[in-house]
Amino acid sequence: MYSVSELYIPQTLGEALAYLSEHPDTRPLAGGTDVLVQMRAKRLEDVRLMSLEKLPELTGIRCREDGVVEIGALTTFTQLAASETVAQRAPMLRTAALAMGGPQIQNRATIGGNVCNGATSADSAPGLFALDAVLVLQSAAGERRVPITEFYSGPGRVKRDPKELLLHIELPAAAPRHGDCYLKFSTRKAMDLALIGCAAACEIGEDGAVSKAAIALGVAAPTPIRASEAEAFLTGRKPGLEDLEEAGRLALQSASPRSSWRASKEYREQLIRTLAKRAFRAAYESAGGVL
Amino acid sequence: MTQHSVVGVSAPRIDAYDKVTGRAVYVGDMKFPHMLQGKVLRSPYAHALVKRIDTSKALALPGVRCVLTSKDVPDIPFTLCGHPLPFDTPLDARIFATHVRYVGDPVAAVAAETREIAEKALGLIEVEYEELPFYLTPQEALAEGAMEIHEGSGNLCGETDLAFGDVDQALKDADYVVEDEYDSPIVTHAQIEPHVSIVIPDPKDGRLTVYASTQCPSIMRERLAYILGLDRRKIHLIKMTVGGGFGGKQEPVYEQINCVLAQACGCPVMLELTREENLACTRTRHTTHYKIRTGVNKDGTIVAREIDIEQNTGAYASHGHNVFFNQFGQFDSLYPCPNMRVRGRTVYTNILIAAAMRGYGIPQYCIANESHLDHVAQVIGMDPLTLRQKNLYQLGQERKYAPPHSVGSCGLPQVIEEGRRRIGYDEFRKAPPQDEGPIKYGIGVALSSYNSCVYSHSVELSAARILVQDDASATLFLGCTEIGQGADTAMAQIAAETLGIPLDWVTVKEGDTDLCPFDAGAYASRQTYVTGNAVKQAALKCKAQMLDRAAKLLERPAAELDTRLGKVIDKATGEEIGDLRKVAEDMVYHLTEGNTCCHEVGYIPTTNALNYAATFAIVGVDTETGQYEVKKLVTCMDCGTLINPQAAMGQLTGGTIMCFGFGTMEQILIDPKTGRVHNDTLLDYKIPTFADLPPIDAHFIETVEPSSAYGNKSLGEPPNVTPAAAIHNAVCNALGIQIPSNPLTPERVYLAIAENKKKQGGV
């Protein structure tokens, strides 16, 4: 049922990167909550696995002096949800962590795995997109920094070089008046994938005008996306209810949802309109904005 | 009411300790020396003929012990229905198919040293198929020119037309005629324990010991012998701990395949399905299309009912048309009507097999009929509950359509009143909550009646043997089956109460066909109602024998004595006058009059008691997304007198959760292009998690049913009937529209809102 050709457990980051250089067909194994599912479904067979369990460089959550928050790739969703650092910088990531799977899966699954698996439904992705998070990757050849918005290349595909490991994710320092919100829409309240996920982040000026608007969507396209038309519309405004409706409509312009047996295009479009509007409103209000 | 000592007390379930500590032994836990693992090769096509099978490569794989196809096994047509003899559905199945009729139909099987080898071997079996046109709906299967899925069937598995009174005239005369159509989904049992068996052949006489996860050991033994062409004495069936049945483990599902594997290999074989197989290739509830017409007068009197039921039974009949009969059986026990026409058709298609599932047709009938009644109420401008109350069955009223059973107890008015009070029905109706932004509120109600066994439709024998030991403890030998519903505990309580001993003096041995008497099994919510009577009668015989002995010991007439909690008591005063353990000891060890105390009674009911229930729901619907929250869910139920109140509440709560899934999110989805099941995982076949559940207020109204052992009635299935319909009606009430299908996924609700808006905009 689970066909593994080799399981390598490096003791140091150096060993891990050396092994990847030598065996670029390796599948890094973090929590295994995606990899094992794919193996069971035979989408992965005779796979060469490298377990990351012994690598401390990939763990931990830190707030640097410059206000940048670093989240180690091996941070589990349980750790993410429990982190005060994360909650202060971006409470929506805590929401996303608790919306993912169930407690058992949250205990195993890691944020790095969630991102590198490349699924458009990844619960961590919309929040990281909306925050303009930066991924720090390393190979034997050196370090590379990639904005997460440029990392995804297609359904289940990301631009991780097979010789690279994701070390950590950086969240830029927060502006003085900022707020965010993640809304996951799924049939079930737990153990489910998003039909649409929507994250919004917002920075406002003292007058309440939006100085920075970010709306990111999961499952609205083959990869997570930013709704740039809606963001441009909101930037500089003191939004009213009508503006939020318009932002919802504009969010749809960035999206290309599909009909599948899980949900129709028509319904996903309605969810995009509604969630974009609601998420941004919540983000704006949590930044101190008054409608 | 008589004061009982054991019955009516919330004793801990006697299987609870082993289950929560992991000591309970399920078939999948067992290991035997040289045990092989079986795997089934399934058709990838919805409808095809097998033209050629080459098993040679699979057989050559090291570790493979046998590969079987249709030509290696008995060619005896059988029915996949799990009812006692005589067969009551078409004999349309074989162990392996050469004419495959759904994606998943078994065409071959392998036994190998490991599951991995067996799985690999499946990939080495070469099968050439000739694809045939396939049909996923009754409409397609009954279309002119459609190919027959079973030769000579016309794709009809059963058909019934019945009429009482003068329906046409009554419809003509009625003030209003309201008509609706409704579609219920395919749902499946999703037992936590997949189907599994171990078969051990005895080399000296070919006798097979079958360890099974089954609801019906006696039926399984009979049916396996029939399918294999063996004398029944050649099958020894042992039921282990069962991790959920819900109707899906009533009949042989894959046990027959495991038997032929074990016969061929001459050693033990385990055949355990994967989760994916369990969801996509076992049994389901019938997806059913309803057409309902009701003739009603302005005052709310229903004068005519016409119901057309079209069931999709899938590739094989299994329980087939019997599921229609069960629905018909409830027509006049809840809303009797002098003029009634019913038409039932059960249709073969090329989807997985529909069979028995908790509620046996009634959950889908309830949601179709109860949502229709709300529409009727809306048309005549009457409160939906008032409309129902005007047309309710009254105790003593003659029943015309179902087998004419007398009704011995009916708490229907009380369950309605209690539910109405608990939910705050009148308050809601008078002043419904204001909309909160996009959120609209609604209230719904649904009622049900439910049988307590299958009398007089089919065989209803249950037997119990009680052995009173030399210390007055008792061993119960039962064909009655504990499948998680609490039957063992209920039977032990009935035995202890009747014998007059403490509950922990009772040991239950059940599910072994070499040791235990016949019992039709755990289905139709019948065990406590039917087997409970057998246990009580056997216990009364044992008690009489003990009291005879006590009379001699105590030098008092037996008629003046009774037993209670292990003591002999004075019947008149209740005073303890002897130790029952001493009596039992004397009964066995007396030098000249010593005797054993063991009595067996077979019991057949002579009527069929009715459970009544009412569920009320209040929901808040988000009209922008179609998502809704069930704010309050109240179920009040009359299941007679409770044997074990806490266990009964477990059944009521569990059934409510199961029905919540049926109403709101569960459905097997089939790819129209291939006939394959899209969602064969528990990610995509959505059973509710605890996070999804609404607050459940469940409540019993106790009545005393005279035809049962201690006033009890059915409880296994009825909790799985009304909640979905009440929630459905509440959502529709909030929105002021009808939604003619379930589950009410947010998408379905939103699309109905959008369609309604379009319609209104178009006017």
Side-chain angles (χ1 to χ4, degrees):
Chain A
M1 197 171 271
Y2 299 96
S3 133
V4 180
S5 64
E6 193 173 328
L7 172 65
Y8 174 62
I9 308 178
Q11 304 298 313
T12 66
L13 182 59
E15 282 178 12
L17 297 175
Y19 187 82
L20 281 181
S21 297
E22 210 175 311
H23 305 286
D25 60 332
T26 300
R27 183 76 189 238
L29 180 71
T33 55
D34 285 312
V35 171
L36 266 73
V37 171
Q38 289 166 21
M39 287 167 69
R40 183 181 164 93
K42 301 204 184 305
R43 290 197 294 271
L44 273 180
E45 284 193 277
D46 284 327
V47 60
R48 182 195 294 276
L49 295 175
M50 180 176 80
S51 170
L52 307 179
E53 64 195 274
K54 299 277 165 77
L55 309 180
E57 294 88 342
L58 277 62
T59 63
I61 298 171
R62 296 163 293 275
C63 185
R64 296 194 323 223
E65 274 181 20
D66 59 1
V68 169
V69 172
E70 287 181 1
I71 303 172
L74 285 182
T75 301
T76 66
F77 280 74
T78 300
Q79 290 164 345
L80 197 64
S83 163
E84 282 310 316
T85 308
V86 168
Q88 279 201 356
R89 173 61 189 92
M92 68 174 161
L93 291 182
R94 170 180 281 181
T95 311
L98 293 173
M100 207 277 284
Q104 296 93 332
I105 294 177
Q106 289 159 16
N107 283 341
R108 292 291 310 169
T110 66
I111 191 166
N114 199 229
V115 167
C116 290
N117 186 50
T120 182
S121 59
D123 279 304
S124 65
L128 295 175
F129 266 63
L131 293 168
D132 286 312
V134 174
L135 308 180
V136 179
L137 298 126
Q138 191 163 15
S139 68
E143 191 182 276
R144 188 165 75 101
R145 297 165 58 82
V146 190
I148 190 167
T149 48
E150 293 166 20
F151 190 57
Y152 285 71
S153 52
R157 292 196 305 275
V158 292
K159 293 176 189 160
R160 181 183 71 84
D161 186 277
K163 296 177 182 175
E164 283 178 331
L165 274 184
L166 174 64
L167 293 188
H168 58 256
I169 300 169
E170 290 181 2
L171 309 180
R177 275 174 292 279
H178 70 100
D180 65 30
C181 172
Y182 176 63
L183 296 178
K184 172 180 184 169
F185 195 94
S186 52
T187 308
R188 273 194 301 222
K189 287 184 183 148
M191 302 303 289
D192 211 347
L193 298 179
L195 286 178
I196 292 289
C198 179
C202 169
E203 293 171 11
I204 62 174
E206 279 178 32
D207 58 350
V210 174
S211 52
K212 190 181 171 202
I215 296 177
L217 294 158
V219 207
T223 69
I225 53 164
R226 284 278 288 267
S228 34
E229 287 90 343
E231 293 173 356
F233 172 78
L234 289 163
T235 306
R237 275 176 206 267
K238 272 189 72 178
L241 286 177
E242 271 312 305
D243 296 323
L244 292 172
E245 292 290 341
E246 179 61 14
R249 280 191 288 273
L250 287 171
L252 204 50
Q253 287 189 7
S254 315
S256 50
R258 291 189 332 163
S259 275
S260 76
W261 56 268
R262 289 191 177 94
S264 66
K265 180 171 189 278
E266 182 189 354
Y267 185 55
R268 287 192 210 268
E269 287 179 347
Q270 171 66 11
L271 289 179
I272 291 166
R273 276 192 294 267
T274 309
L275 298 190
K277 167 180 85 176
R278 291 184 181 177
F280 190 80
R281 177 180 180 164
Y284 180 70
E285 288 177 340
S286 78
V290 180
L291 235 40
Chain B
M1 209 189 288
T2 328
Q3 197 54 49
H4 298 308
S5 309
V6 186
V7 157
V9 175
S10 287
R13 289 258 303 263
I14 60 180
D15 51 340
Y17 184 89
D18 283 348
K19 280 180 176 166
V20 300
T21 56
R23 286 168 41 90
V25 179
Y26 297 82
V27 176
D29 296 328
M30 298 170 79
K31 288 189 174 70
F32 291 92
H34 313 296
M35 186 168 82
L36 305 174
Q37 295 289 337
K39 287 294 284 182
V40 176
L41 181 71
R42 301 169 180 289
S43 163
Y45 299 110
H47 199 192
L49 296 175
V50 175
K51 305 305 281 183
R52 186 184 66 87
I53 303 189
D54 184 348
T55 60
S56 53
K57 282 182 190 152
L59 270 169
L61 184 71
V64 169
R65 294 288 287 279
C66 79
V67 183
L68 301 179
T69 69
S70 62
K71 65 178 191 344
D72 307 307
V73 299
D75 185 31
I76 299 169
F78 60 93
T79 172
L80 290 163
C81 178
H83 282 165
L85 293 172
F87 300 135
D88 57 5
T89 48
L91 308 184
D92 57 10
R94 301 287 200 288
I95 297 174
F96 295 113
T98 51
H99 173 178
V100 294
R101 297 175 170 96
Y102 73 103
V103 175
D105 215 351
V107 295
V110 173
E113 285 163 15
T114 69
R115 206 165 284 182
E116 287 70 23
I117 296 172
E119 203 171 291
K120 201 164 179 192
L122 292 186
L124 298 174
I125 301 173
E126 292 171 8
V127 189
E128 196 183 301
Y129 294 93
E130 178 190 326
E131 285 187 69
L132 300 173
F134 64 86
Y135 315 107
L136 304 179
T137 64
Q139 208 182 357
E140 292 167 9
L142 296 178
E144 202 161 311
M147 198 181 164
E148 286 192 322
I149 295 165
H150 291 278
E151 209 179 310
S153 69
N155 291 339
L156 264 183
C157 164
E159 189 170 27
T160 302
D161 271 287
L162 290 166
F164 303 90
D166 190 341
V167 178
D168 293 329
Q169 191 60 44
L171 284 173
K172 241 183 248 165
D173 295 344
D175 292 340
Y176 299 93
V177 174
V178 184
E179 187 168 338
D180 282 304
E181 298 195 29
Y182 194 93
D183 284 290
S184 77
I186 313 171
V187 292
T188 187
H189 315 77
Q191 307 96 339
I192 196 164
E193 179 204 30
H195 289 263
V196 57
S197 63
I198 295 173
V199 180
I200 305 179
D202 187 332
K204 80 177 170 296
D205 57 8
R207 195 171 195 242
L208 301 175
T209 299
V210 180
Y211 292 92
S213 173
T214 177
Q215 301 174 219
C216 309
S218 304
I219 308 303
M220 178 79 90
R221 169 179 165 274
E222 174 279 311
R223 199 58 44 87
L224 287 178
Y226 182 88
I227 295 169
L228 300 168
L230 297 174
D231 290 336
R232 284 176 209 145
R233 65 189 159 81
K234 295 290 188 188
I235 305 282
H236 176 198
L237 208 296
I238 302 173
K239 187 222 83 165
M240 301 302 293
T241 312
V242 174
F246 309 111
K249 294 175 180 171
Q250 205 175 323
E251 62 258 26
V253 177
Y254 290 101
E255 290 79 1
Q256 65 277 21
I257 292 179
N258 200 11
C259 286
V260 293
L261 288 174
Q263 283 177 318
C265 298
C267 56
V269 183
M270 174 189 278
L271 177 59
E272 182 178 37
L273 299 196
T274 62
R275 176 60 60 193
E276 292 86 342
E277 288 177 301
N278 211 60
L279 285 168
C281 312
T282 60
R283 299 290 184 269
T284 67
R285 184 183 298 293
H286 289 79
T287 167
T288 307
H289 181 75
Y290 293 87
K291 272 189 206 158
I292 308 181
R293 286 170 85 196
T294 297
V296 62
N297 287 343
K298 282 179 191 147
D299 69 351
T301 312
I302 293 174
V303 294
R305 298 175 71 198
E306 196 173 46
I307 305 184
D308 193 326
I309 298 178
E310 193 172 69
Q311 304 191 122
N312 182 343
T313 203
Y316 296 91
S318 184
H319 287 250
H321 205 52
N322 287 321
V323 174
F324 160 78
F325 283 120
N326 198 41
Q327 297 175 61
F328 170 60
Q330 299 307 302
F331 289 167
D332 77 340
S333 57
L334 189 58
Y335 307 117
C337 172
N339 305 295
M340 172 119 189
R341 181 184 297 132
V342 57
R343 181 158 179 251
R345 288 196 295 183
T346 302
V347 185
Y348 286 121
T349 63
N350 297 111
I351 66 171
L352 68 168
I353 306 160
M357 184 168 168
R358 193 178 192 180
Y360 212 76
I362 306 297
Q364 58 266 47
Y365 164 67
C366 177
I367 198 166
N369 194 54
E370 294 290 314
S371 67
H372 168 70
L373 282 180
D374 270 24
H375 187 200
V376 173
Q378 193 197 329
V379 168
I380 65 170
M382 182 174 272
D383 174 81
L385 186 57
T386 312
L387 171 73
R388 286 167 172 83
Q389 285 178 309
K390 273 194 179 276
N391 293 283
L392 283 188
Y393 175 80
Q394 308 286 330
L395 191 60
Q397 198 171 346
E398 186 198 357
R399 295 182 64 196
K400 289 183 188 163
Y401 315 134
H405 310 308
S406 61
V407 177
S409 59
C410 172
L412 189 51
Q414 295 90 314
V415 296
I416 293 172
E417 274 320 308
E418 183 66 18
R420 170 188 216 136
R421 191 182 65 72
R422 284 176 175 256
I423 198 95
Y425 186 86
D426 297 346
E427 295 83 338
F428 189 103
R429 281 282 171 195
K430 242 176 261 159
Q434 294 287 306
D435 293 356
E436 288 167 16
I439 310 290
K440 287 179 184 293
Y441 291 91
I443 193 165
V445 59
L447 309 180
S448 70
S449 61
Y450 206 93
N451 284 346
S452 291
C453 62
V454 292
Y455 174 83
S456 55
H457 183 75
S458 79
V459 166
E460 257 305 344
L461 176 66
S462 282
R465 185 189 318 128
I466 300 182
L467 166 63
V468 174
Q469 307 276 7
D470 60 0
D471 59 352
S473 67
T475 309
L476 247 61
F477 295 89
L478 302 172
C480 169
T481 320
E482 172 65 63
I483 58 167
Q485 84 282 46
D488 280 1
T489 308
M491 297 308 138
Q493 284 181 268
I494 290 171
E497 180 66 47
T498 314
L499 290 166
I501 59 175
L503 180 58
D504 63 358
W505 291 15
V506 180
T507 304
V508 180
K509 302 278 178 202
E510 47 101 349
D512 183 324
T513 56
D514 275 6
L515 295 175
C516 303
F518 181 91
D519 191 308
Y523 59 86
S525 306
R526 58 181 294 282
Q527 297 270 225
T528 314
Y529 183 65
V530 182
T531 314
N533 268 318
V535 169
K536 186 178 184 184
Q537 292 186 12
L540 284 173
K541 288 191 171 185
C542 294
K543 179 176 164 181
Q545 189 181 333
M546 282 194 288
L547 285 182
D548 277 349
R549 199 67 230 157
K552 290 197 175 170
L553 270 178
L554 298 167
E555 297 176 338
R556 297 264 309 261
E560 291 177 9
L561 304 177
D562 205 348
T563 56
R564 190 181 64 211
L565 295 173
K567 303 283 191 249
V568 182
I569 60 169
D570 184 310
K571 207 178 200 171
T573 64
E575 185 196 347
E576 286 178 11
I577 51 174
D579 185 338
L580 206 52
R581 290 174 298 184
K582 289 270 183 306
V583 176
E585 194 175 280
D586 186 57
M587 191 165 63
V588 174
Y589 298 106
H590 192 281
L591 189 59
T592 56
E593 294 172 6
N595 199 357
T596 54
C597 180
C598 183
H599 295 281
E600 179 172 323
V601 173
Y603 177 83
I604 298 173
T606 54
T607 184
N608 198 332
L610 287 165
N611 170 305
Y612 284 101
T615 297
F616 293 78
I618 290 176
V619 302
V621 187
D622 180 339
T623 51
E624 286 184 327
T625 63
Q627 202 166 38
Y628 53 95
E629 201 175 321
V630 180
K631 303 280 182 189
K632 243 175 154 180
L633 188 64
V634 175
T635 294
C636 293
M637 177 170 285
D638 159 27
C639 67
T641 307
L642 303 178
I643 302 295
N644 183 331
Q646 191 180 24
M649 190 51 78
Q651 280 290 67
L652 183 49
T653 311
T656 300
I657 294 169
M658 194 167 190
C659 201
F660 176 83
F662 168 67
T664 65
M665 59 179 78
E666 290 186 37
Q667 55 183 333
I668 291 272
L669 295 167
I670 292 177
D671 183 353
K673 289 195 217 83
T674 60
R676 274 172 214 156
V677 170
H678 275 308
N679 51 340
D680 64 355
T681 67
L682 289 174
L683 171 63
D684 284 316
Y685 183 79
K686 298 191 194 296
I687 55 178
T689 70
F690 277 98
D692 297 295
L693 298 179
I696 296 169
D697 177 12
H699 188 75
F700 288 107
I701 298 287
E702 292 194 70
T703 58
V704 181
E705 168 58 36
S707 64
S708 61
Y710 284 97
N712 51 291
K713 302 193 276 193
S714 59
L715 174 58
E717 294 164 282
N720 190 32
V721 175
T722 43
I727 293 167
H728 197 95
N729 284 346
V731 171
C732 291
N733 173 251
L735 301 171
I737 58 175
Q738 312 270 234
I739 305 178
S741 55
N742 63 299
L744 279 188
T745 58
E747 176 171 17
R748 194 184 297 263
V749 175
Y750 172 72
L751 293 178
I753 296 169
E755 198 192 301
N756 186 55
K757 238 187 228 165
K758 242 182 252 166
K759 249 193 250 163
Q760 291 192 333
V763 170

